[in-house]
Amino acid sequence: MQANIIVYDVGSTYTKLTAFLLAEGVLEFVARSQALTTIDDIEIGVLAAKQALAVKGVEVCREEVVFSTSSAAGGLRMVALGYMPRVTAKAAKEVAMSAGARVLEIVSCEDLPEFRLQVLQEIKPDIVLLAGGTDGGDQDSMLENARIIVKSKSNAVIIIAGNYAAQGEVAEILTSGGIANIRVSNVMPTIHELKVKPAREAIHEQFIKQITLAKGLNKLLNVVSDKKVTPTPGAVLLGAELLAKGTFAQEGIGDILVIDIGGATTDIHSVMPGLEKLTIEEKGLVINNEKQPSYRTVEGNLGLRISATGIVETIGPAGVLTKIGYKGEELEQKLIDYAVFLEKNPGHISQSTCEKDFDLALAICAIEVALKRHAGYISQEFNPVMGIIPGIPIGRDLRRVKYVFAVGGLFTHRTTEEKQFVVKQAFKNPGISLLPIQPVFIFDEHYLLYSIGVLGQKYADASLQFAKKHFKIEKEV
């Protein structure tokens, strides 16, 4: 077997490698391999993964093209400073969505200046998203926050992404105070619009620069052909966007939902291309809707290993056990002990039937909670201030989404029956949540969606054509 394209994914536990052959515009999957990630020197794990590929009989051409994603660095630490708390929170979440940043704190002008200063000094962020004011609107908040940043003596890079009219003066305050800063378009130029791509790209550039500070990752940058390392969640989202939206030459498959469950987090991505066509009036106010075409939520306390106790604490041990038909105080305590053990031993592979069943139950609960937090809901109360009446949809309406992709180790190593059981149970009781009504479940058994996202940036048509064929959905378009 021959391959001429390699895509690495350097995770905190494993370094995965996916090999492809691109010939005459047609992309083919060849094989995948993995090795333990070597945090002290990433290159060791990368070479081990490539050696494991060779053992499978795969010959990589000398003219190989190499790409890589990574979640090993954990993401840049980000604090968001803005004018209105809910707007700042929404903007920060959207900006960080695929840029390789973790939002640790969100503060606004409702917080005392002393508190904002304390947050910056205690968290010591890598990135500060400085937002505030629509274009032509408030300027004072961003100027005040710039002075607070200077006073904090922060080493962070400041992404100036607020009222464009105030950006020049804000940049002068920061620069004169010795604070590195980058100006980008306002993340919320009007009350109806979020414009996050420029800020997201600026943070991604910082992700690439700062990731080289980790041992060995600078060597990884020297290996990849495009001198970029894409944050893994961002790559998954890029793959989802390519499939949903398509290219100039090919139609996409329409609205899709992606469930990405791992050891530490459960990520939900949804891409709904039709929302791009909405008018400003149809979109409504940014503050109380989720009508952007691409949307991602991350549940940092819901994971199958490092965050296993978070699932048990959220649902309750009895609630988790009901998903697999178990009950009893003895089993509840056994589940609690198992979750604690997993957090201390994240590399553990379930052995007994009981452990395997516990894993299924934890997965069902994590996915169900993450889905309901991602999706909108049917309003149950009257809110005259927001113009909400009972019975109307609030938030992200996923009811017409057809394709649901399931990604993660659970969906790579389990039987088809077990995988179907997990997703069907997670979708079984939507309640008032606006979940897909008749979903078609697609399992990413070879963990290819992240690589499709990366390759799609250079080989869009070939990657889309491959994805449709691989996931057997080309006839559905």
Side-chain angles (χ1 to χ4, degrees), residues 4-5 20-29 461-463 465-466 469:
N4 55 9
I5 295 177
F20 295 89
L21 177 65
L22 179 64
E24 298 180 357
V26 177
L27 187 68
E28 293 182 16
F29 168 66
D461 288 310
S463 298
Q465 186 179 39
F466 163 77
K469 182 178 179 181

Side-chain angles (χ1 to χ4, degrees), residues 218-367:
N218 57 330
K219 298 176 184 177
L220 183 59
L221 282 175
N222 293 330
V223 170
V224 294
S225 302
D226 58 355
K227 304 302 178 186
K228 288 173 59 177
V229 176
T230 304
T232 305
V236 173
L237 180 60
L238 288 171
E241 289 179 332
L242 178 65
L243 266 166
K245 297 179 180 181
T247 66
F248 288 112
Q250 300 178 65
E251 289 186 14
I253 64 174
D255 298 349
I256 69 174
L257 184 69
V258 179
I259 301 164
D260 187 355
I261 184 167
T265 68
T266 298
D267 302 356
I268 307 293
H269 312 252
S270 59
V271 183
M272 306 172 73
L275 295 178
E276 292 181 333
K277 301 174 183 177
L278 295 181
T279 64
I280 286 178
E281 292 76 18
E282 288 171 321
K283 288 180 182 178
L285 298 178
V286 162
I287 196 169
N288 68 335
N289 70 52
E290 299 293 356
K291 292 182 179 178
Q292 54 270 40
S294 299
Y295 182 54
R296 170 178 169 240
T297 52
V298 179
E299 303 304 330
N301 68 328
L302 304 177
L304 296 183
R305 288 298 179 265
I306 295 172
S307 305
T309 59
I311 301 173
V312 178
E313 290 168 359
T314 300
I315 306 297
V320 175
L321 291 177
T322 58
K323 301 298 183 183
I324 51 174
Y326 285 14
K327 63 180 179 179
E329 291 184 6
E330 186 178 338
L331 279 171
E332 288 178 23
Q333 187 57 52
K334 194 171 182 179
L335 172 66
I336 293 170
D337 294 341
Y338 181 59
V340 172
F341 172 79
L342 291 177
E343 292 207 351
K344 295 178 180 177
N345 302 273
H348 177 72
I349 299 174
S350 52
Q351 301 297 322
S352 66
T353 300
C354 187
E355 286 187 350
K356 292 177 180 178
D357 287 347
F358 281 170
D359 279 352
L360 292 179
L362 290 168
I364 292 167
C365 291
I367 293 170

Side-chain angles (χ1 to χ4, degrees), residues 127-207:
I127 294 283
V128 172
L129 177 68
L130 183 53
T134 56
D135 285 342
D138 174 77
Q139 298 186 27
D140 294 339
S141 64
M142 198 158 60
L143 292 168
E144 180 183 53
N145 282 331
R147 296 186 185 98
I148 291 172
I149 292 170
V150 171
K151 190 175 180 180
S152 74
K153 299 180 180 178
S154 175
N155 291 319
V157 175
I158 315 302
I159 308 297
I160 306 171
N163 184 349
Y164 199 77
Q167 286 196 11
E169 189 174 348
V170 167
E172 286 180 13
I173 293 170
L174 294 173
T175 302
S176 63
I179 307 292
N181 59 88
I182 301 169
R183 292 175 60 177
V184 298
S185 301
N186 193 346
V187 292
M188 200 181 91
T190 73
I191 59 175
H192 297 283
E193 181 184 11
L194 277 176
K195 190 175 183 180
V196 299
K197 188 175 180 180
R200 194 180 290 167
E201 289 176 347
I203 293 174
H204 186 202
E205 288 178 10
Q206 293 304 310
F207 176 86

Side-chain angles (χ1 to χ4, degrees), residues 343-414:
E343 292 207 351
K344 295 178 180 177
N345 302 273
H348 177 72
I349 299 174
S350 52
Q351 301 297 322
S352 66
T353 300
C354 187
E355 286 187 350
K356 292 177 180 178
D357 287 347
F358 281 170
D359 279 352
L360 292 179
L362 290 168
I364 292 167
C365 291
I367 293 170
E368 182 178 355
V369 172
L371 282 170
K372 289 180 176 179
R373 290 177 179 174
H374 181 93
Y377 60 92
I378 298 296
S379 173
Q380 306 295 294
E381 299 178 353
F382 178 64
N383 187 326
V385 176
M386 300 300 292
I388 296 171
I389 60 175
I392 69 170
I394 303 296
R396 198 152 181 89
D397 191 345
L398 305 174
R399 288 176 292 183
R400 295 184 181 180
V401 172
K402 181 175 183 180
Y403 297 105
V404 176
F405 285 75
V407 182
L410 177 85
F411 300 111
T412 300
H413 304 296
R414 291 287 186 160

